[in-house]
Amino acid sequence: MEGVQNIVMIVISAALVNNFVLSRFLGICPFLGMSKKIETAIGMSAAVTFVMALASVFTWIVQKLLLQPLWLVKFGVAADKVPDLMYLQTIAFILVIAALVQFVEMLIQKTNPSLYSALGVYLPLITTNCAVLGVVLINMQSEFTLVESLFNGVGAALGFSIALILFAGVRERLDDADIPKPFKGFPIALISAGLLSIAFMAFQGLAG
């Protein structure tokens, strides 16, 4: 039961309390670029969720088996002889993320060409989305297990999706609103994003 509670708190913390977009301010590029229409926001959310979840798993495996292979000690290798490749961590993680994004890109192109066209350049940019890289690095810094890493990735992706879809809904409503000319377009979008971020501050302490 304690393990289940821990998983639930990890998901709530990643999705609401420490929302990657509205609290940590990571992944702002797709957040602003893909939030003009709810349909596009949902497509981007699904792609990011898939990449974040799998990246959390594969980067954990790369970290434990290749970059920090302490399992070799069990086979008689002296601890001081175990190779330490941690200086390659960022490069290795980006390569894993890039491979996953390439797979998602091909999948969407085959199954939903209209969504592929709508996502445009923002789809391959998931590779350099700092929210994706951020979640896998946080997994390592927090010393999460494989299961905890997976659920932290899912929680972070859920939080990204909530923020993106909510913001897309707000921007669609703003298109029909009577807004002073100096604030039309991007300025009112930034103001709305700031207000949405303030609203998410209400979740602070929820996972405490």
Side-chain angles (χ1 to χ4, degrees):
M1 181 62 75
E2 184 177 346
V4 174
Q5 290 177 344
N6 185 43
I7 292 298
V8 171
M9 295 309 294
I10 286 174
V11 173
I12 292 175
S13 177
L16 300 176
V17 181
N18 297 309
N19 186 281
F20 271 64
V21 178
L22 300 175
S23 295
R24 297 182 185 272
F25 305 110
L26 300 174
I28 298 296
C29 179
F31 175 69
L32 295 175
M34 289 286 96
S35 57
K36 295 180 180 179
K37 299 292 180 183
I38 291 180
E39 183 180 357
T40 307
I42 292 174
M44 174 58 78
S45 298
V48 170
T49 299
F50 183 83
V51 172
M52 271 193 179
L54 288 186
S56 296
V57 172
F58 284 110
T59 53
W60 190 93
I61 293 173
V62 168
Q63 170 96 352
K64 300 302 180 182
L65 296 186
L66 298 178
L67 301 182
Q68 199 177 25
L70 298 178
W71 55 273
L72 290 174
V73 176
K74 296 181 180 179
F75 292 90
V77 179
D80 59 341
K81 298 295 184 180
V82 174
D84 185 2
L85 303 176
M86 288 300 294
Y87 64 94
L88 296 174
Q89 185 187 63
T90 303
I91 295 175
F93 286 3
I94 290 176
L95 289 175
V96 171
I97 294 169
L100 292 172
V101 170
Q102 186 65 35
F103 175 74
V104 171
E105 188 174 359
M106 292 189 296
L107 184 65
I108 294 177
Q109 186 176 16
K110 292 291 184 182
T111 59
N112 197 336
S114 60
L115 177 60
Y116 178 80
S117 299
L119 293 177
V121 70
Y122 290 98
L123 184 56
L125 279 179
I126 295 177
T127 301
T128 54
N129 186 341
C130 53
V132 181
L133 182 59
V135 72
V136 298
L137 291 176
I138 288 172
N139 288 340
M140 301 306 130
Q141 292 170 1
S142 301
E143 297 184 350
F144 285 149
T145 64
L146 178 60
V147 174
E148 290 172 341
S149 296
L150 171 61
F151 279 97
N152 188 55
V154 171
L158 179 61
F160 178 89
S161 301
I162 292 172
L164 186 61
I165 295 171
L166 281 177
F167 191 47
V170 170
R171 293 186 72 175
E172 284 192 354
R173 295 290 296 273
L174 288 174
D175 288 340
D176 300 324
D178 184 17
I179 300 171
K181 189 174 181 180
F183 293 98
K184 280 183 178 284
F186 209 58
I188 193 64
L190 291 177
I191 293 172
S192 301
L195 294 174
L196 192 58
S197 178
I198 292 173
F200 265 68
M201 289 179 65
F203 295 111
Q204 295 298 319
L206 184 62

